[in-house]
Amino acid sequence: KQWYQRRVRETKVAVIALTKFLPHLLSSDSPLSQIMVSDEEMALEGGRITRSNKTTQGPVMIPITVKIFKILVQEFGNVLEEMEAERNGGLSDDEDDIEEEEEEDEGGAEFVSIAQIAHLLADDDDEDEDNKDDPLNDVDLHSHLQQFLTQLSTHNSYNQLCQALNENEKTVLNSLQVSAGQNNANMR
């Protein structure tokens, strides 16, 4: 449970940092906005960005602003998946993977592990003393990303950012009822 809480905290830190950094890049003539990066699919895992195992025909280079946008849209998709899993009474994919790994470690034996019992008995108010007053505990990633992406949809660069999205990422944005390519006004 501590590992999962640490991972959630690190993800929050990374998301908040990227949502603060992207508008700066989009609204300034900073040389940082000219950086080109690979368009390999990446994911935030425990606050670290990791590459996907998918192989491509070769690296496609995109502006860092587009890459950050894609990472934030992908993370919003992850948050939506976790919320759906919670609504359905199941575990999120991450928690499911942890349980599968534990079962594999035990040779597939069918018994309830200590981790599963801890998950069932977990009390959300039972946080580490060091982190209980941390303002990050109050951040709801769903709301934060929803608000950010909705606000970003009004930026004059939004159409350009959306052109690089794949179909899954466009579907995530459509769940916000902010279509990929919508442009209303300038982001402030």
Side-chain angles (χ1 to χ4, degrees):
K1 183 177 176 179
Q2 282 182 333
W3 172 85
Y4 184 74
Q5 287 175 340
R6 189 174 337 116
R7 181 174 173 200
V8 168
R9 184 184 191 306
E10 290 171 353
T11 299
K12 284 182 179 183
V13 169
V15 165
I16 291 168
L18 291 175
T19 59
K20 299 292 183 191
F21 188 50
L22 182 58
H24 171 73
L25 289 176
L26 292 173
S27 64
S28 72
D29 290 330
S30 170
L32 293 175
S33 63
Q34 305 304 314
I35 295 173
M36 300 295 284
V37 295
S38 173
D39 191 23
E40 286 184 79
E41 190 171 314
M42 305 189 93
L44 286 174
E45 290 189 10
R48 291 177 290 168
I49 299 174
T50 59
R51 288 183 179 82
S52 171
N53 290 333
K54 295 180 182 177
T55 57
T56 59
Q57 298 161 348
V60 174
M61 302 303 283
I62 59 173
I64 193 167
T65 52
V66 172
K67 185 61 172 189
I68 292 171
F69 177 62
K70 289 173 67 85
I71 289 170
L72 291 172
V73 170
Q74 290 167 3
E75 187 57 33
F76 187 67
N78 293 342
V79 169
L80 292 175
E81 285 178 12
E82 287 178 11
M83 289 175 63
E84 182 67 25
E86 287 175 13
R87 265 195 304 274
N88 293 332
L91 299 174
S92 71
D93 288 341
D94 293 335
E95 292 168 331
D96 223 1
D97 291 345
I98 292 168
E99 284 192 3
E100 287 175 13
E101 288 172 10
E102 289 170 354
E103 288 176 12
E104 288 172 7
D105 290 344
E106 298 299 326
E110 293 188 31
F111 65 93
V112 178
S113 70
I114 293 173
Q116 290 168 323
I117 292 171
H119 175 73
L120 293 172
L121 299 175
D123 182 9
D124 290 338
D125 296 332
D126 187 29
E127 297 176 3
D128 292 338
E129 289 298 316
D130 295 340
N131 294 329
K132 77 176 187 176
D133 295 328
D134 190 339
L136 281 176
N137 293 332
D138 298 331
V139 174
D140 174 17
L141 274 184
H142 176 264
S143 296
H144 183 78
L145 283 167
Q146 183 177 30
Q147 180 181 4
F148 175 79
L149 292 170
T150 300
Q151 183 181 10
L152 186 65
S153 72
T154 64
H155 192 278
N156 59 3
S157 299
Y158 186 72
N159 290 337
Q160 182 183 0
L161 293 171
C162 289
Q163 289 175 358
L165 296 178
N166 64 36
E167 289 305 312
N168 290 337
E169 294 160 344
K170 288 177 183 177
T171 301
V172 169
L173 280 185
N174 288 336
S175 73
L176 281 172
Q177 290 150 6
V178 174
S179 64
Q182 175 180 319
N183 189 357
N184 299 327
N186 286 339
M187 184 179 181
R188 297 186 204 317

